[in-house]
Amino acid sequence: MYSKILTFIAGFFLVTQLAYSQTNPSESALQQAGNEVAAYLKPLAAINVKVGIDSLLQNGDITEVHLSKLASDYPFRDNTVKDIYAIVGKYFPNVKFKVYANGSTIEELASKFYSADMQPAKKGAKGKKNVKGGDKLVTDLSRPYEITEGLQNRHLALWQSHGFYYAQPTMRWEWQRAPLFQTVEDMYTQSYVLPFLVPMLENAGANVLLPRERDCSDIEVVVDNDQLFGGYSEIAGSLSWKNGDSQGFANPQEQYEYGQNPFRMGTYRVAQSLSQQDLKGKNAKKESVAKWIPDMPESGEYAVYVSYKTLPNSTDAAYYTVKYKGGEREFKVNQKMGGGTWIYLGTFLFDKNSDSQGVYLTNANRGLKSSKSAAVVTADGVKFGGGMGNIARKPNGAAEEFAAEVSGHARFTEGSRYWLQWAGFADTVYSSTKNMNDYTDDYTSRGRWVNTISGGSKVNPEYEGLNIPIDLSFAFHTDAGLFPDDSTVGTLMIYTKLSNGSDKYPTGESRMLGREYADILQTQIVDDVRATFEPNWSRRGLWDRSYSEARTPNVPAVLLEFLSHQNFADMKYGHDPYFKFVVSRAIYKGMLKFLSQKEGIPYVVQPLPVKDFAAELEQSQSGMNVRLSWSAVEDKL
């Protein structure tokens, strides 16, 4: 019996082997085919590892041709796929075959955005409007125009690499990267993200959230309802403010140690929301207003952050007015999301010691005609400015009498691990090592933060969090490394195809969206830098690697290594403000195009600012006039 089975098995493998040898090329021919594919791919990106054909697998009547895993680091287009099939086809005559790299067919690796058949509709084309369902966290009601084909209703999470941190082994605060060429990566990436990239995205209509302080001022004034004296007051209407039933923000300490959460140290205020109908007629109710008036020690521009409590019956339309030196600006904040942390409204010019400039919150819902539910408005602390770091650190396990110390630096220089503690997030978010290693905690906290702020929303429904529907995540880094012969290290993009064994996001969408996102961004950056500054700027790989900042977020996420801050050929351009502007604009355009492609909706890139702007006084019969003039700027990119 057993001999018959063995004879059958041996015969089966003999037939299979004979069929295989008759339809597939020899080992030397396979090597030659691999060499041709490698030579074809080589000009597409600066990848130093030679690729080839690793293996053949028979899957029914299909022969699977598996290229080296790192072949997937190259950018693929429709013509790339066609040409590789032509190369391999010479060695597989009359055979059905599929070409793979890194577990995906090369068709799956090809960008859809750059496919002629898949381009999203341009402005004026019939089809979907650029309107995305879902609620917006913050709406600027004072914007004098409507954005319709930009990033309106988008929520973007991004950050500027590393920051000043506490090194427990050496018991001191220090930079995470070495200082070179008059900068350090912890500070250098901020010179792109804060003055250029974030404003571009916000001007296009996006809500941008960061896990680090965005205000470079070392001045911070916090006004809160728990302060006896300090600028918080209320105007009581028909339905006055009262204390909420759970914990809120308070700032009773000058510094905070591990595990201490200022958003669990105080109270918050709550009032019933009033509709337009409630405010009219014989029995009209009077609105109630909460006010936060800071005593600013210096006149200047300061970021304004508000905080509130999200409750089951929170309003989706809390109306805030910021009164500042330039006038007033009104915002609508959706308090159904984002409660229990700092929510950025904008940056404004405030006078020193003003008694009227500050933030005002009303319980009147100006957009609601009649009350359909007992929605409430909540009020907690308001933060003006960036301030100094107030998270005190000491070695884990140090004796009780060992004094914890703050960084002594402005908060914006510090890593995300410290901002996230000040911003009310749990220690499970900002310290994955349970207080053992601040270096690791800093980079792992960023992806955890993305999942926490998006948790409970439609993009991350099973994760507990702040219900903000984050569309994408982005980490801006400058890689370390030196290249000889005055050549650029150039631009690398990293995404992660598998996270915790899954190739899907919580929405059910493929994590290969991360590759599409990475490809569009890298293409835009490299094309724009080559066209404007350096024709030989190096395009590196599209890495599928398990980096925390690309792997952890439950939304499309990439990690950019834009250039090497250690390499002179890169940093020749690196300190030029216009270079930073072009690169930041390329990133903005890449994000815009990716989201447009993902949703199948049209987009319009913001025009460049005008130049040669002038204001000239002119005398006329009617009096003194001002003539404004400027020159248009052609966007060649």
Side-chain angles (χ1 to χ4, degrees):
M1 177 68 178
Y2 288 110
S3 62
K4 289 182 180 179
I5 293 175
L6 290 174
T7 303
F8 170 78
I9 292 174
F12 173 79
F13 278 113
L14 179 62
V15 171
T16 303
Q17 188 176 25
L18 286 171
Y20 180 86
S21 62
Q22 290 170 3
T23 59
N24 289 286
S26 65
E27 185 175 338
S28 61
L30 279 178
Q31 184 172 356
Q32 187 177 347
N35 289 341
E36 285 192 42
V37 171
Y40 173 81
L41 290 173
K42 188 173 178 59
L44 302 182
I47 297 173
N48 294 324
V49 178
K50 184 181 176 182
V51 301
I53 295 176
D54 274 3
S55 62
L56 300 179
L57 294 176
Q58 201 66 33
N59 186 0
D61 62 345
I62 302 293
T63 300
E64 296 182 0
V65 180
H66 288 264
L67 304 178
S68 306
K69 179 180 178 181
L70 295 186
S72 68
D73 289 1
Y74 288 95
F76 281 73
R77 303 288 182 265
D78 290 348
N79 67 298
T80 316
V81 173
K82 180 180 177 182
D83 293 345
I84 290 176
Y85 269 87
I87 292 170
V88 175
K90 292 188 300 182
Y91 300 88
F92 286 81
N94 304 316
V95 174
K96 292 181 180 179
F97 66 92
K98 278 279 187 184
V99 182
Y100 290 76
N102 191 25
S104 298
T105 65
I106 60 175
E107 290 90 340
E108 292 173 308
L109 298 177
S111 167
K112 293 181 175 58
F113 181 83
Y114 296 105
S115 169
D117 297 331
M118 297 292 288
Q119 284 278 10
K122 296 296 189 289
K123 183 176 175 63
K126 294 181 179 179
K128 288 186 183 179
K129 293 183 178 179
N130 193 347
V131 178
K132 176 173 170 284
D135 297 314
K136 190 172 182 181
L137 176 61
V138 178
T139 303
D140 183 352
L141 299 175
S142 299
R143 195 193 299 272
Y145 51 87
E146 183 183 2
I147 297 173
T148 59
E149 295 188 355
L151 293 171
Q152 73 282 358
N153 302 323
R154 303 291 186 182
H155 299 85
L156 314 181
L158 57 94
W159 53 89
Q160 57 276 38
S161 72
H162 312 279
F164 208 56
Y165 85 112
Y166 185 77
Q168 297 206 33
T170 57
M171 296 186 293
R172 68 181 187 186
W173 288 83
E174 58 188 46
W175 298 114
Q176 293 190 38
R177 293 293 185 265
L180 288 164
F181 296 118
Q182 300 181 326
T183 190
V184 61
E185 183 182 357
D186 310 52
M187 293 293 290
Y188 179 66
T189 53
Q190 308 215 43
S191 66
Y192 292 79
V193 172
L194 295 182
F196 295 115
L197 178 58
V198 169
M200 289 175 184
L201 297 171
E202 291 175 337
N203 289 342
N207 278 189
V208 181
L209 296 97
L210 293 89
R212 296 181 65 181
E213 175 61 65
R214 67 167 73 198
D215 191 334
C216 298
S217 170
D218 61 2
I219 294 173
E220 178 186 53
V221 176
V222 178
V223 182
D224 179 55
N225 65 286
D226 290 298
Q227 295 169 319
L228 292 177
F229 308 100
Y232 178 81
S233 63
E234 296 171 353
I235 301 173
S238 303
L239 300 171
S240 59
W241 298 91
K242 61 182 181 180
N243 273 351
D245 296 330
S246 54
Q247 296 168 323
F249 174 83
N251 188 26
Q253 302 173 192
E254 290 189 5
Q255 60 188 44
Y256 297 86
E257 296 190 32
Y258 174 72
Q260 295 179 331
N261 189 339
F263 279 83
R264 301 291 183 270
M265 293 182 172
T267 64
Y268 63 93
R269 304 287 281 170
V270 59
Q272 186 175 330
S273 181
L274 299 177
S275 68
Q276 291 181 26
Q277 188 180 57
D278 294 327
L279 297 168
K280 295 177 181 178
K282 289 192 229 175
N283 301 316
K285 295 182 175 70
K286 186 179 178 183
E287 67 179 312
S288 297
V289 177
K291 300 192 298 182
W292 296 263
I293 308 299
D295 185 10
M296 304 307 300
E298 295 180 12
S299 296
E301 288 191 331
Y302 298 94
V304 173
Y305 301 84
V306 300
S307 66
Y308 48 87
K309 192 78 170 181
T310 292
L311 301 172
N313 59 336
S314 285
T315 180
D316 60 1
Y319 288 81
Y320 290 84
T321 300
V322 180
K323 296 183 180 181
Y324 60 105
K325 189 170 184 178
E328 297 182 2
R329 202 161 187 93
E330 189 175 32
F331 298 88
K332 183 175 70 173
V333 176
N334 185 349
Q335 291 193 346
K336 289 183 177 295
M337 58 178 75
T341 189
W342 297 120
I343 300 298
Y344 176 75
L345 295 185
T347 298
F348 306 92
L349 183 62
F350 292 99
D351 282 320
K352 177 181 178 180
N353 300 329
S354 171
D355 61 0
S356 61
Q357 294 174 9
V359 175
Y360 296 72
L361 170 64
T362 177
N363 71 330
N365 187 336
R366 297 163 194 170
L368 186 64
K369 292 182 180 180
S370 61
S371 295
K372 297 179 181 178
S373 62
V376 296
V377 178
T378 58
D380 207 342
V382 173
K383 186 173 105 71
F384 302 83
M388 299 292 290
N390 62 349
I391 305 301
R393 304 294 293 130
K394 63 182 180 181
N396 186 57
E400 191 70 29
E401 61 271 16
F402 192 100
E405 60 176 333
V406 295
S407 70
H409 279 51
R411 185 178 285 114
F412 85 96
T413 69
E414 296 180 348
S416 59
R417 180 253 176 267
Y418 312 104
W419 162 262
L420 293 176
Q421 183 175 351
W422 173 233
F425 290 88
D427 55 11
T428 52
V429 175
Y430 65 74
S431 182
S432 62
T433 69
K434 299 182 179 178
N435 203 31
M436 295 292 291
N437 187 322
D438 284 24
Y439 180 90
T440 300
D441 285 344
D442 189 42
Y443 71 77
T444 58
S445 67
R446 302 165 201 154
R448 288 167 176 253
W449 164 77
V450 173
N451 291 340
T452 300
I453 61 175
S454 65
S457 72
K458 62 183 181 181
V459 302
N460 196 12
E462 302 302 319
Y463 203 100
E464 185 177 351
L466 303 190
N467 196 35
I468 303 172
I470 299 298
D471 289 282
L472 56 80
S473 169
F474 174 73
F476 191 124
H477 288 261
T478 53
D479 202 359
L482 298 171
F483 268 29
D485 304 322
D486 201 30
S487 59
T488 61
V489 172
T491 299
L492 168 72
M493 295 298 302
I494 300 170
Y495 68 100
T496 307
K497 189 169 74 170
L498 287 175
S499 178
N500 295 322
S502 175
D503 62 355
K504 297 283 193 298
Y505 296 114
T507 58
E509 295 171 299
S510 170
R511 289 185 63 91
M512 285 295 282
L513 277 172
R515 178 186 172 88
E516 181 75 25
Y517 175 23
D519 194 349
I520 293 172
L521 274 183
Q522 187 186 50
T523 301
Q524 191 74 61
I525 292 168
V526 172
D527 285 354
D528 287 6
V529 171
R530 285 176 177 175
T532 312
F533 291 93
E534 174 53 74
N536 296 316
W537 189 261
S538 178
R539 174 172 187 154
R540 299 170 67 191
L542 288 164
W543 281 11
D544 171 20
R545 305 289 193 275
S546 187
Y547 282 63
S548 174
E549 291 164 287
R551 178 188 71 248
T552 306
N554 287 337
V555 299
V558 297
L559 189 159
L560 165 69
E561 294 284 9
F562 167 55
L563 52 67
S564 172
H565 56 272
Q566 290 184 318
N567 193 57
F568 180 73
D570 295 61
M571 291 303 290
K572 268 192 314 190
Y573 306 103
H575 286 303
D576 182 347
Y578 182 56
F579 181 75
K580 295 175 182 179
F581 174 88
V582 169
V583 171
S584 300
R585 185 167 164 84
I587 296 168
Y588 145 65
K589 290 188 291 185
M591 290 179 175
L592 177 69
K593 292 177 178 180
F594 167 69
L595 291 172
S596 172
Q597 170 67 35
K598 180 174 177 289
E599 302 291 337
I601 51 182
Y603 68 89
V604 173
V605 177
Q606 298 176 71
L608 288 167
V610 300
K611 66 175 183 176
D612 305 326
F613 184 85
E616 300 173 272
L617 291 173
E618 293 182 345
Q619 185 68 48
S620 70
Q621 291 181 350
S622 59
M624 191 67 73
N625 297 325
V626 179
R627 177 183 294 274
L628 306 180
S629 63
W630 60 86
S631 300
V633 176
E634 180 186 358
D635 188 356
K636 296 182 179 179
L637 301 180

